[in-house]
Amino acid sequence: MKNKLTFCMLFLFTAFAFAQSNASKFEITGTVVDKDAGIPLEYATITITNPNNATDVEGGITDMSGNFNVAVAPGKYTIKIEYISFEPIILNRTVTGDLSLGTIQLEFAASSLDEVTVVAETTTVDVRLDKKIYNIGKDLTTAGGTVGDALNNVPSVAVDVEGGISLRGNENVRILINGKPSAIAGFGSTDVLRQLPADAIERVEVITSPSARYDAEGTAGILNIILRKEKTLGFNGSINTSVGNPDLASISANLNLRTEKFNIFNTTGYRYTSSPGNGFFDTNYLSSETTDPTYDRIIEDRDIQRLNRGFNTNLGIEYYLTDMSSVTASVFYRNGNDTDETTNLTQSFRDASRVLETERVERLKEKDDSYQLSLNYINKFNENGHQLTADFQYENSEETQNTRINEDITFDTEDTTPIIGERLFTTEKQKEYLVQADYVLPFSENWQFEAGYRGSFENEITDFSVNQEQIANSGNFVLNDTLTNIFDYTENVNAVYTQIGSKFGKLSFLAGLRLENTQLKGKIDSRLTEAELQDIFGFAIDTDFDNDYLGLFPTLNLTYELNERENITLGYNRRINRPRGWFLNPFPDRDSRNNVFQGNPNLAPAYANAYDLGYLKRWDKLTLTSSIYFQRETESFEVIEEIVELQGQGTNTNGNTVIRSIPFNLSSNERIGAEIGVLYNPIKWLRLNGSFNFFQFNTEGFFNDVDYSAKNTSYFARFSSKVTLPFQIDWQTNANYRGAAQNAQSDTDGILSVDLALSKDVFGDNATVSMNVSDLFNGRKRSQFTTNDLFTRDSEFQWRQRQINLSFVYRFNQRKNDAKRNQPVNTDDEGDFQG
C-alpha cells in the first residue's frame, strides 16, 4: 500500500511539473512565402535567440506549406527567418503568450545578384511529397528549339528519335500543361510539343508517384509542364528569333501587361522547319508450315522530307476580384500546315536474285486547327492555404490529311502486275470538355484535407476513305468501300478524390484515394460485317462497344527529414493505362505495302501498382537525388509483329506477305530500376549536371500459343556542363546516351547524342545571341534487329538530322533571368494547380 501511495504521489508530481512546464511555454507560429511568386517556401530556417543568453537558442524549419511552429518560454527574443538566395528577415518580439507572426514574405537578396543569376541559369530541383520540380535554367542547347528538345534535358525524361516521350524508360507518361490536359500538348499526343518554343517553359514537374489529386492515367507517371507567365509590374516581354540549317525560321513573342488589378499575358509564335529523315529495312522471310513468302528478302530504303509550318498564340487575362480571389480566362489557338514526302525504294529478292524493284512516293498534306478556352476561379479564404478552385475547359481540334500514293515498277523480271495508285482522305475531329473543382482545408498547424472532382468528356471521330485506280496509271479512281470507314470513339472519365496530409516531427505523409469511372465507347461504321472483318483481320472484332471500368486508386507518399537538407521519400500509387484511338482502330495504315500497323478495338485498360524510394541530399554547391523503383502492370499493351496474308482484300499488296504490328493485352509487365542525379556548381563559372537511370522490364505473356516473355535491360545517362569563358561567353555541352535494349522480338542498339552551344549577352544584357548544334555527330538513329520464327529484319531510322541554329533574344523592361520580380503576394501561381 505504501509503495502504491508513493507511486501515485510521484505520478501526480510529474504530471504537475509537466503541466507547469507546458504552461510556461508559448508557441511562435507563422508562414514563410516567396514574396514575388506567392508560393510557400519549404525548408526555410527559423532561428530564435535570447539576446541576454547566447545559449538560449530555439528553432525549426518550415513544412511543405511554409508553416512553422516553435515553442519558447516567456521573454524577449530575436527571430531570424532565412532561405537560400533570399534576404533574411530579423524580428524582435516579446513573448507573453502564443505569438502569430502571420505571413512572412521573403525577397531575393539585392546584394546577391550573382547568386540569383546562378540559380536562374542552372536547372535546380525541389523535392515535394509527390513530385520533383525542375526549375528550367538558361539552357543554351535548346535556343531555337522546342519544348520536346527541352524535355530531353530533364532528369528521368527521355525523348526518342521519333519524338516519343518516356519517363524512366516507360512511354506511358501523362503530359499536362499547367496542371491540366491541354490542346497545347495535342490532346494527349506529343506532336505539338515539337512546335512550341523551348523558352516557353518555366519549370517541369516530374511526378513519378502522383498523389490522389492527379488523374490516374499514365502508368509511368506525369510530366506537368508549367509555362512562363511574367510577374513583373508594368508592360514587359521578350522577342525570340531563330534561323537554322536544315531550314528553320521561327519567331515568338512573350508579352505581359501587369497592374495591381489585372494581368494580361500573351505568347505568340510562328515556326517554319524542314526536317529531313530516313529509314532502312532489310527483311529476310523464313518459310514454315503455315507461310510461303512470295519473296525471301525485301529491302526498303526510305527518304523522308518534312515541311512544317505552325502558328500558335495564347492570350489570357487574370483579374483580381479581391486580395484573396481571382478569375483567369485564356484562349489558345494553333494552326499547322505540313507537307511530307516519303520516297520508298523497295527491292524484292528470290533465291538471292533481285526480281523486282519499285519506287513508292507518298505525298501527305496535313492541316490542323485547334483552339482551347479556359476559365479558372480561385478563392482563398485565408493566408494559411484554405482555398477553393474551379475550372472549366473546352477544346476543339480538326485535322485533315490528303495523301497521294504512287508506286512505279523500275525493275521487273517476272512481268509483275502494275501497282495501282491510291488517294487517301482522313478527317479527324476532336472535342473535349473538362470540369473540375478542388477544395483545400488546413484544419490545424500540421494537418491538411483535400477533396475534389474532375470530369473529362472526349469524343474523336476519324473519317477515313480510300480511293484506288481501276487500272494502274489510268488516273481513274474509285472508292474502295472495304477499307473506307468511320471510327467514332468516346472516352468519358468521372473522378472524385480525397486526401489528407500531416507532419509529425520529421515525418510528413500524404495519403489519398481516387475513385474513377472510365467509359470507353467505339463504333465502327463500315460496309463490312463483323464476320467479314474477323476473316480479314484474323480475330473477332466488336464494331460497337461500350465498356465501363470502375476503379479505386490509392496513393501514399511519405517524407522523413533527416535534417533540413537531407530527406528520404517513399511513395506508392495505383495507375491506369487507357487505350487511345490509334491503338483501337482496326483498319491498317497505308505507309508501306510490306509493313503495316493495325489497331485492336478489343484492348482493355492496363493497371499498375508502383513503388518508389528516394533520397535527397543538399550541400552548399551540390544537390544529389536518387531513387529505386518497382512497378507491376497487369494486362499491359505489347505490340506483336506477325506475318499475315492480306491478298484479295483491296489492300494493294500485290500478293505480298506483309508484316503486321498489332497491340494486345499480355499478362504482366514488371519494371524495376534505379536512378541518380547530381547538380553541382563548384565555382561561379562552372556548372555541372548529370544523371543515370538503369532499368529492367520483365514481360510475361502468350499470344496465339507463342510465348512473348522477355527481359529488357537498359539504361540512359545524361551529362551537361556549362562554362563561362572570357568576355562573358557561355559554352554549354550536353551529352545523352541511351543504352541498348531488348524485348521479346527485337534488339536495339545504344544511341549517343551530343549538343553544343555558345551564348553572349549584348546590349547591356538586354539581349542574348547564341548558336547551338543539335546532335553534333548525327548519331540520333534507332538501329534495331528483329527476329522470330517467321522473319529476321535489320532496320535503321532517323527522324531528324543534325541541326544548327542561330538565335537572338531581346528583352524589354525585364532584367536578365527575370531577377526583377514585383508580383503582389495575392497572386496564385497556376503551376500549383493540380487536379
Side-chain angles (χ1 to χ4, degrees):
M1 181 67 180
K2 183 178 179 180
N3 290 337
K4 290 183 179 179
L5 181 60
T6 302
F7 175 78
C8 290
M9 292 181 67
L10 181 61
F11 175 79
L12 291 173
F13 176 79
T14 303
F16 177 77
F18 180 77
Q20 290 297 310
S21 174
N22 268 356
S24 62
K25 290 268 188 176
F26 298 106
E27 293 184 344
I28 299 178
T29 60
T31 303
V32 183
V33 301
D34 179 345
K35 181 178 181 180
D36 299 324
I39 60 176
L41 294 177
E42 189 176 6
Y43 302 117
T45 303
I46 316 298
T47 306
I48 302 175
T49 58
N50 186 335
N52 300 320
N53 185 355
T55 62
D56 187 4
V57 180
E58 299 286 351
I61 60 173
T62 56
D63 61 16
M64 62 181 178
S65 299
N67 299 321
F68 65 88
N69 185 323
V70 181
V72 299
K76 294 182 178 180
Y77 292 96
T78 297
I79 306 169
K80 188 175 184 180
I81 301 98
E82 300 176 281
Y83 194 79
I84 296 175
S85 300
F86 284 73
E87 193 75 53
I89 286 181
I90 299 176
L91 305 172
N92 293 304
R93 294 290 187 271
T94 299
V95 177
T96 58
D98 289 342
L99 175 62
S100 174
L101 299 178
T103 300
I104 301 164
Q105 304 170 20
L106 297 186
E107 296 183 275
F108 266 106
S111 61
S112 303
L113 286 181
D114 287 341
E115 183 179 6
V116 174
T117 298
V118 171
V119 172
E121 292 190 356
T122 307
T123 297
T124 59
V125 60
D126 185 15
V127 177
R128 301 292 176 88
L129 267 171
D130 56 351
K131 59 191 171 186
K132 292 186 180 75
I133 303 174
Y134 291 94
N135 298 288
I136 301 301
K138 182 184 175 185
D139 194 333
L140 309 181
T141 61
T142 62
T146 67
V147 169
D149 297 321
L151 289 177
N152 205 37
N153 292 329
V154 175
S156 304
V157 181
V159 182
D160 65 20
V161 294
E162 294 177 313
I165 298 171
S166 62
L167 181 58
R168 291 174 168 176
N170 186 349
E171 295 182 353
N172 184 229
V173 56
R174 179 70 157 168
I175 306 293
L176 303 179
I177 302 292
N178 295 333
K180 300 184 289 292
S182 172
I184 301 176
F187 294 95
S189 167
T190 60
D191 292 341
V192 181
L193 299 181
R194 293 197 293 267
Q195 298 181 16
L196 295 177
D199 63 353
I201 296 181
E202 178 176 308
R203 65 181 184 270
V204 176
E205 297 178 350
V206 179
I207 311 172
T208 53
S209 183
S211 65
R213 68 170 66 97
Y214 291 99
D215 183 6
E217 171 72 23
T219 55
I222 296 171
L223 289 179
N224 185 21
I225 301 171
I226 307 300
L227 302 182
R228 294 187 186 277
K229 186 173 69 174
E230 180 57 42
K231 305 175 178 69
T232 306
L233 287 173
F235 180 65
N236 53 82
S238 63
I239 306 294
N240 190 332
T241 61
S242 297
V243 294
N245 185 340
D247 292 346
L248 177 145
S250 69
I251 182 170
S252 64
N254 297 288
L255 305 175
N256 200 90
L257 176 61
R258 181 61 185 271
T259 71
E260 295 290 347
K261 199 62 180 175
F262 64 84
N263 181 27
I264 299 176
F265 52 93
N266 173 251
T267 300
T268 299
Y270 178 80
R271 185 176 179 85
Y272 174 99
T273 59
S274 176
S275 303
N278 56 80
F280 180 81
F281 306 85
D282 185 354
T283 305
N284 288 275
Y285 295 88
L286 308 176
S287 298
S288 68
E289 295 180 357
T290 58
T291 61
D292 184 18
T294 306
Y295 306 107
D296 50 35
R297 184 185 183 191
I298 295 178
I299 298 176
E300 295 185 54
D301 193 352
R302 297 183 189 177
D303 177 76
I304 307 169
Q305 298 294 327
R306 303 184 189 88
L307 179 62
N308 301 322
R309 290 153 291 190
F311 169 82
N312 64 83
T313 184
N314 184 36
L315 176 64
I317 180 171
E318 184 175 11
Y319 183 76
Y320 309 111
L321 301 172
T322 69
D323 288 343
M324 305 293 286
S325 64
S326 66
V327 175
T328 302
S330 65
V331 57
F332 170 80
Y333 173 74
R334 176 176 58 87
N335 174 268
N337 187 358
D338 303 336
T339 303
D340 297 350
E341 181 171 301
T342 301
T343 302
N344 193 347
L345 300 177
T346 302
Q347 299 180 74
S348 302
F349 296 83
R350 187 181 298 114
D351 299 327
S353 297
R354 180 172 60 117
V355 296
L356 179 67
E357 183 176 293
T358 65
E359 181 182 71
R360 177 186 176 95
V361 180
E362 176 182 331
R363 297 178 178 88
L364 166 66
K365 292 185 178 181
E366 179 178 332
K367 295 183 178 181
D368 65 274
D369 282 279
S370 298
Y371 65 88
Q372 171 185 296
L373 306 175
S374 301
L375 187 65
N376 166 260
Y377 169 76
I378 179 169
N379 182 59
K380 296 182 177 181
F381 299 100
N382 56 40
E383 295 286 356
N384 298 323
H386 184 197
Q387 67 179 35
L388 172 69
T389 59
D391 285 85
F392 173 78
Q393 186 171 283
Y394 171 72
E395 305 171 3
N396 185 292
S397 175
E398 181 172 345
E399 179 180 291
T400 60
Q401 292 183 347
N402 185 344
T403 306
R404 301 174 58 186
I405 300 176
N406 294 302
E407 189 163 3
D408 297 323
I409 297 176
T410 58
F411 178 82
D412 184 15
T413 63
E414 298 182 334
D415 194 23
T416 304
T417 303
I419 302 170
I420 60 175
E422 294 185 337
R423 301 292 184 266
L424 315 178
F425 302 94
T426 305
T427 300
E428 186 175 285
K429 297 181 179 180
Q430 230 169 354
K431 293 182 180 180
E432 183 172 358
Y433 296 88
L434 175 71
V435 181
Q436 181 167 327
D438 297 275
Y439 178 71
V440 181
L441 174 64
F443 54 88
S444 74
E445 197 69 34
N446 293 317
W447 286 87
Q448 179 169 293
F449 169 81
E450 297 181 47
Y453 162 79
R454 168 184 278 183
S456 62
F457 313 95
E458 178 184 351
N459 178 253
E460 177 183 325
I461 299 176
T462 303
D463 189 340
F464 177 67
S465 62
V466 179
N467 291 270
Q468 295 177 321
E469 286 183 308
Q470 291 179 302
I471 301 174
N473 301 317
S474 67
N476 296 321
F477 291 83
V478 296
L479 181 70
N480 183 331
D481 57 3
T482 62
L483 292 175
T484 297
N485 68 92
I486 298 176
F487 183 46
D488 189 338
Y489 173 71
T490 298
E491 178 183 296
N492 297 326
V493 180
N494 286 279
V496 292
Y497 78 91
T498 183
Q499 65 182 14
I500 191 167
S502 185
K503 185 173 183 178
F504 300 94
K506 295 184 177 183
L507 178 66
S508 301
F509 82 89
L510 186 63
L513 184 64
R514 189 177 185 94
L515 175 67
E516 287 195 353
N517 176 257
T518 300
Q519 182 187 39
L520 302 181
K521 298 171 59 177
K523 182 176 177 59
I524 301 171
D525 186 0
S526 168
R527 183 188 68 80
L528 301 175
T529 65
E530 289 189 357
E532 290 174 322
L533 287 171
Q534 179 174 350
D535 289 341
I536 292 175
F537 298 126
F539 56 89
I541 291 178
D542 188 353
T543 60
D544 189 0
F545 59 88
D546 187 349
N547 301 320
D548 272 16
Y549 305 92
L550 184 66
L552 282 173
F553 300 91
T555 64
L556 176 64
N557 289 285
L558 304 172
T559 297
Y560 184 77
E561 300 167 4
L562 300 173
N563 55 61
E564 64 181 44
R565 293 189 171 191
E566 187 177 16
N567 65 48
I568 298 174
T569 59
L570 177 64
Y572 162 76
N573 64 94
R574 186 171 188 255
R575 311 288 294 164
I576 185 174
N577 181 10
R578 304 181 184 97
R580 307 292 295 182
W582 170 253
F583 266 39
L584 294 172
N585 194 337
F587 287 86
D589 64 25
R590 316 291 294 166
D591 291 340
S592 167
R593 289 192 302 119
N594 305 299
N595 297 277
V596 300
F597 179 88
Q598 179 181 339
N600 179 3
N602 301 328
L603 283 181
Y607 295 90
N609 290 282
Y611 307 83
D612 188 287
L613 177 64
Y615 172 74
L616 168 72
K617 173 68 174 177
R618 286 189 178 95
W619 293 269
D620 290 339
K621 298 180 179 181
L622 175 68
T623 299
L624 170 70
T625 61
S626 61
S627 64
I628 57 175
Y629 52 90
F630 173 79
Q631 180 187 90
R632 177 174 174 80
E633 182 177 353
T634 57
E635 297 298 321
S636 59
F637 308 159
E638 295 293 335
V639 177
I640 305 301
E641 292 186 318
E642 58 180 357
I643 288 182
V644 294
E645 294 285 350
L646 296 181
Q647 184 176 6
Q649 291 138 30
T651 55
N652 198 17
T653 63
N654 210 34
N656 281 0
T657 300
V658 302
I659 298 174
R660 175 177 67 178
S661 300
I662 185 167
F664 285 94
N665 290 107
L666 293 185
S667 59
S668 68
N669 189 338
E670 291 185 351
R671 309 168 188 264
I672 188 170
E675 62 180 346
I676 185 171
V678 174
L679 302 172
Y680 185 41
N681 305 134
I683 47 182
K684 179 180 176 181
W685 54 267
L686 176 62
R687 294 173 286 279
L688 304 174
N689 180 351
S691 63
F692 180 80
N693 192 326
F694 175 85
F695 52 89
Q696 182 182 84
F697 298 168
N698 187 7
T699 302
E700 295 182 354
F702 285 81
F703 175 69
N704 286 344
D705 298 324
V706 177
D707 186 1
Y708 286 94
S709 300
K711 282 188 177 182
N712 175 6
T713 300
S714 189
Y715 63 93
F716 60 83
R718 178 181 291 110
F719 174 77
S720 175
S721 68
K722 188 174 179 184
V723 180
T724 301
L725 302 173
F727 305 105
Q728 295 300 304
I729 296 175
D730 289 329
W731 171 28
Q732 183 172 329
T733 304
N734 287 356
N736 293 273
Y737 183 77
R738 187 174 186 127
Q742 311 83 34
N743 61 26
Q745 295 180 310
S746 300
D747 292 322
T748 305
D749 294 341
I751 300 174
L752 173 65
S753 175
V754 177
D755 305 330
L756 295 178
L758 293 170
S759 173
K760 176 74 171 74
D761 291 319
V762 295
F763 301 148
D765 288 351
N766 288 320
T768 303
V769 60
S770 60
M771 184 188 73
N772 66 67
V773 182
S774 175
D775 194 14
L776 177 65
F777 301 112
N778 204 35
R780 196 173 290 164
K781 304 176 182 179
R782 183 187 63 211
S783 298
Q784 195 172 69
F785 180 73
T786 302
T787 181
N788 56 35
D789 293 337
L790 302 177
F791 66 90
T792 63
R793 182 175 61 207
D794 268 309
S795 65
E796 182 178 273
F797 183 82
Q798 183 176 26
W799 178 266
R800 186 178 65 180
Q801 298 177 9
R802 176 176 48 234
Q803 181 79 38
I804 302 175
N805 294 334
L806 180 66
S807 299
F808 178 78
V809 180
Y810 180 76
R811 298 173 289 273
F812 56 94
N813 297 334
Q814 289 182 356
R815 289 187 184 180
K816 180 185 174 185
N817 306 316
D818 297 323
K820 177 182 177 183
R821 308 186 301 173
N822 297 316
Q823 178 190 7
V825 71
N826 64 311
T827 300
D828 178 67
D829 189 332
E830 65 184 343
D832 286 342
F833 173 84
Q834 300 160 347

